[in-house]
Amino acid sequence: MWNNVASCALGRLSHNATPPLLPALQTLNSVSERKYKGFCHGEQPIRELCIHYKWKRMHDMLPRRLVSDRTKYRQYAKKYPVLDGRILSVYRHAFEENLRNSEAVIKRYSELLEMVHKGGGEDAVLRHTQRNKKLFVRERLKLLLDDESFLELSPLAGLNLPYGDVPAAGCLTGIGKICGVWCVFMANDATVKGGTIYPIGVKKQLRAQEIAMQNRLLSVYLVDSGGAFLPLQSELFPDKSHGGRIFYNEARMSAMRIPQVAVVCGSCVAGGAYVPTMAEEAVIIDKIGTLFLAGPPLVKAATGEYVSPEDLGGAKLHSEVSGCSDHFASSEKEAYECIRNVISTLNYDPLPEEVTEHDSPLYSCDELLGLAPWDYRCTLPVQLILSRLMDGSRFQEFKANYGTTLVTGFGHVEGHLVGVVANNGELTHDASLKGSHFVQLCGHRSIPILFFQNTAPHTAEPTSISQAEAHSKRLKAQASMMGAVACAAVPKITIVIGGSYGSESYIMCGRSFSPNFLFLWPNARVALVDPRHLSTVPRAGNSDCTGGETELKHLKEKLEEESSAFYSSARLWDDGVILPQNTRKVIAQCLEILDQQKYQVTSPCQYPVIRM
Ligand code: COA
């Protein structure tokens, strides 16, 4: 969650932290550039410069770098050594096995995605579009977002849960561009049980808000929801991380100067009514949008009086009488045009249009399917994966010959400089020390870190005193890496490319270590232990006493089912399953999203915008 460490990760935005790469500097003309350099030699005070050039919001900030010259740095990067990505014949067998597994899991992934894209099913979509005259949620996104690809988060959340299938958790979330600015969107899908909020839907919205806070992204809510899914009220109402937290976050985000806007494009009942009312600006759509704490059936039950939804809380009422909405739209199209205009008034600067020239990897990313391990025993050297993700397959490896079961080094992804930490075997004592050192380097140099996670399924039990001593030493080194990862004040992106097992997964920036983004490959397996490597049922307190065959079989089956990437993603333990061949694109998109905050230099504000 949002905490001090996370806010350090945005250190460039806080007063005490290293100042940002000043946005205006990137567009300085040659005259101002000369003057800027002059300032750095003490010739001109920055305050004067800021006033002269009307640079906003950065009077007390000193530049970290004089002039951004990414092109120059990229040229130096072209001298990084090229990784050898050839798949040698000795790797062929494992490669073929991995490939077969990847094809099977990707087929399953496509089936699940297809199901999710249908929302609540054909009948519900027809009812929504024909009877209720509303646009399907994916059509709404087309009108809201710029005509570019967007990053959908956790589309598989909500599938196959103990309380049934809730496609996309009843709420689409993601990051897309509006008026050139990366924004988080949260959009209810009313074809899934009237857009009511399930426990998994609450979790999904809270995660989207967390992403907005951690990455300083303005947020748009498209509200079309029947409020809480009543049969599960005890799992989504009373606790700290339940429904009320969404409204609490809205206020906190506004106070952090993260603007939020809303479109009432359907029913906003009970709790759902607070979402647009807590937003800084809201649009309501005539004949479609309604907003009330208790709907007509409750009014009838309480007073015996019938009142139409329109009269009780329709667009006219809220635009002319209550003031709960700030803009009246006569159609869905008009509403999304209006909200785009609102966003253009937020004074959020889009990323400067930079021509980012970069080299593609020298090896085909399709071959990642054969490198995605179906089992830890089929793991191939991780450099083969990196050679298919880094620009020009170039990689400046750090401590290449020390602690070789962890690969660390620098490279570029679509022109963005990154530090890479990748499992290449067990996290030994030396590997952990190296990881700890490298993560600190990235922290000091303000370089985002990419973690490629494929942790060993188990550690061999010590069979001698000397081995036990080695284990203790390793524990200490791992703890130091854990500390370094937890406190590195830079953005972190984790991709689980194989196993995410046991404590080593924490050290490799698992979910509990709050990476800015965490994605899984479809072959990924997430569990405390790997059932394929489990030979006994452990019993607490007595290592000699183990469970029988049947118990072992049951435990293995349970673990097997619970370890799949889809099981994890359904429960929102990650931000989604991505295809190996799309990994480079997704990472580049995340890095661009992360870059945007460098251009939003704002001082913290103590109070949210409160609707009057
Ligand atoms: N809890 C559980 N299920 C709900 C629900 C709720 N709050 N609101 C709606 N549903 C279910 C309906 O039972 C229906 O289920 P079904 O498809 O299995 O029959 C499904 O969602 C769709 O509802 P329906 O009323 O047919 O769709 P609609 O598009 O005509 O209307 C609403 C949607 C949300 C406007 C309407 O259902 C409604 O007003 N619901 C009550 C909202 C409310 O009072 N919420 C208080 C929550 S604290």
Side-chain angles (χ1 to χ4, degrees), residues 124 127-128 131-132 134 190-198 224-232 266-271 290 292-298:
R127 194 171 56 208
H128 180 83
R131 193 191 70 187
N132 296 349
K134 294 192 280 186
T191 69
V192 180
K193 288 276 182 195
T196 48
I197 316 287
Y198 283 71
D224 187 355
S225 162
F229 182 74
L230 286 172
L232 294 175
S267 172
C268 291
V269 196
T290 51
F292 24 67
L293 287 175
L298 266 187

Side-chain angles (χ1 to χ4, degrees), residues 157-383:
L159 293 184
N160 209 6
L161 294 184
Y163 45 79
D165 277 327
V166 189
C171 170
L172 267 60
T173 63
I175 306 170
K177 275 190 183 171
I178 303 178
C179 307
V181 179
W182 287 108
C183 306
V184 165
F185 61 81
M186 284 157 256
N188 301 115
D189 180 355
T191 69
V192 180
K193 288 276 182 195
T196 48
I197 316 287
Y198 283 71
I200 193 70
V202 171
K203 196 172 177 189
K204 194 168 176 186
Q205 290 194 43
L206 290 179
R207 173 60 188 154
Q209 287 183 323
E210 185 184 9
I211 287 178
M213 287 190 265
Q214 206 176 9
N215 304 297
R216 296 197 75 85
L217 296 166
L218 66 89
S219 306
V220 185
Y221 302 86
L222 305 188
V223 200
D224 187 355
S225 162
F229 182 74
L230 286 172
L232 294 175
Q233 67 82 28
S234 68
E235 292 175 47
L236 54 78
F237 166 65
D239 212 349
K240 185 177 168 187
S241 298
H242 284 174
R245 195 74 185 179
I246 297 174
F247 319 127
Y248 173 85
N249 282 346
E250 280 191 74
R252 303 288 303 163
M253 285 160 75
S254 180
M256 286 161 63
R257 293 254 181 108
I258 297 173
Q260 296 145 93
V261 296
V263 180
V264 182
C265 47
S267 172
C268 291
V269 196
Y274 289 108
V275 172
T277 318
M278 299 281 296
E280 292 181 5
E281 262 183 84
V283 184
I284 189 163
I285 308 172
D286 193 27
K287 313 273 186 319
I288 286 180
T290 51
L291 204 155
F292 24 67
L293 287 175
L298 266 187
V299 175
K300 174 103 174 110
T303 66
E305 200 186 336
Y306 173 76
V307 55
S308 74
E310 207 51 32
D311 288 343
L312 187 64
K316 257 177 154 336
L317 180 116
H318 286 302
S319 306
E320 294 171 11
V321 182
S322 79
C324 282
S325 130
D326 311 293
H327 306 275
F328 173 94
S330 47
S331 69
E332 291 226 31
K333 191 164 174 288
E334 193 181 309
Y336 302 115
E337 273 163 15
C338 177
I339 208 73
R340 286 175 62 86
N341 288 345
V342 168
I343 285 167
S344 70
T345 68
L346 295 175
N347 203 12
Y348 243 63
D349 298 327
L351 280 174
E353 294 278 332
E354 264 193 274
V355 185
T356 48
E357 275 176 35
H358 53 259
D359 296 328
S360 299
L362 300 180
Y363 303 92
S364 164
C365 59
D366 291 337
E367 287 166 338
L368 289 169
L369 301 191
L371 297 171
W374 83 271
D375 183 273
Y376 191 71
R377 288 165 292 208
C378 287
T379 295
L380 296 173
V382 77
Q383 288 90 342

